[in-house]
Amino acid sequence: MKLLANGLQIEVDDTGGEGRPVALLIMGLGMQLVGWPQDFVQALVDAGFRVVRHDNRDIGLSQGFDHAGTGNIVWESIRQKLGLQVRSAYTLQDMARDSLGVLDALGIKQAHVIGASMGGMIAQHLAAEAPERVASLVSIMSSSGARGLPGPRSDVAAMLLRRPLGGGEAELVAHSIRLLRLIQSPAYPQSTEALAERLTFSMRRAYRPAGMFRQMLAIGADARRPEVLPRIKCPTLVLHGEADALVPMACGLDTAKRIPGAKFVSIPGMGHDLPPEVCAILAHHIAPFLHAAEEHHKP
């Protein structure tokens, strides 16, 4: 369903029914709400939570920003390396306010906020800027954004900027599979058939590469988040794969170090994806953490 959130039309999925504590899931760069595997959603529902997912602005079925253009990714990357401000059509703070607007539109006063990759960055802003609305924070395979942290492995960085060999569905799916093979969890590889099926479904739902580039610029422009993280006061769990080639584990460690009282858990064999085995491991850590956070908030 579409909701008006922060003045934008945002596509939302609401699973698990009212009367339960809410888990708000925020997905990463260029990823739609369906990027959260159904098994993971169901594990949280089975644990007693109402699960709310949404397409971030400019992606999936939510409102786009094509009028803003895409900017020059290469030039803005150079500006970032020189310590200059990256120019973007919107900010991660704007995207955090979109998520807050989703809660407002659904009449939800407080939620446990779970973000993956860029979604973790958005969730961090939400926890810092609206502490009364965030019961707990779970940051998965994300980063503090601090200067000096390691970036993607060189082959991954090159692949992110590479164009598909063609514009047909088969070429686009093959291009995405090549990227996923570079960042996948080495302990839990998925079959090419499974990846192709998931990617085809996502592309037929919505294919918006320009939105992904604008989101990439929003990440690059978010230079002050390291100063924001110490303001987060809610219970925080930081989860990170030990084999992450896109956002190295040092980024997760730095995130946990900057948030007072945060718990850090590394996951052997996990890369930068959510195969079924990783989802089960994440749910194993997250469900009891959320229940403990619920007890923390009881009077």
Side-chain angles (χ1 to χ4, degrees), residues 225-247:
R225 199 168 68 260
E227 304 164 24
V228 169
L229 296 185
R231 296 181 1 219
I232 296 174
K233 304 302 181 189
C234 65
T236 299
L237 175 63
V238 178
L239 298 165
H240 214 105
E242 295 180 6
D244 196 326
L246 181 62
V247 182

Side-chain angles (χ1 to χ4, degrees), residues 168-296:
E169 184 179 271
E171 291 92 347
L172 295 173
V173 169
H175 178 79
S176 295
I177 288 175
R178 284 192 289 273
L179 173 60
L180 290 176
R181 286 294 183 216
L182 294 177
I183 64 175
Q184 69 181 353
S185 298
Y188 310 106
Q190 299 181 75
S191 70
T192 298
E193 293 74 19
L195 290 175
E197 181 180 1
R198 178 163 59 83
L199 288 164
T200 300
F201 172 77
S202 294
M203 286 182 181
R204 290 177 180 177
R205 183 177 185 266
Y207 178 64
R208 301 170 67 181
M212 185 190 74
F213 281 114
R214 284 187 289 270
Q215 289 183 352
M216 197 180 295
L217 288 175
I219 294 171
D222 196 44
R224 300 182 65 87
R225 199 168 68 260
E227 304 164 24
V228 169
L229 296 185
R231 296 181 1 219
I232 296 174
K233 304 302 181 189
C234 65
T236 299
L237 175 63
V238 178
L239 298 165
H240 214 105
E242 295 180 6
D244 196 326
L246 181 62
V247 182
M249 191 171 69
C251 300
L253 283 164
D254 193 70
T255 301
K257 188 188 305 181
R258 293 174 185 272
I259 299 175
K263 178 183 179 182
F264 178 82
V265 176
S266 65
I267 300 175
M270 174 183 168
H272 203 86
D273 62 348
L274 295 171
E277 299 89 345
V278 166
C279 286
I281 294 169
L282 294 176
H284 173 75
H285 288 289
I286 292 171
F289 170 77
L290 299 189
H291 285 303
E294 281 291 300
E295 291 298 319
H296 174 83

Side-chain angles (χ1 to χ4, degrees), residues 37-60:
Q38 193 57 44
D39 286 350
F40 179 73
V41 173
Q42 192 59 49
L44 294 179
V45 171
D46 291 345
F49 294 92
R50 173 184 177 186
V51 179
V52 175
R53 300 176 288 172
H54 64 285
D55 286 335
N56 288 313
R57 63 166 64 194
D58 224 4
I59 230 62

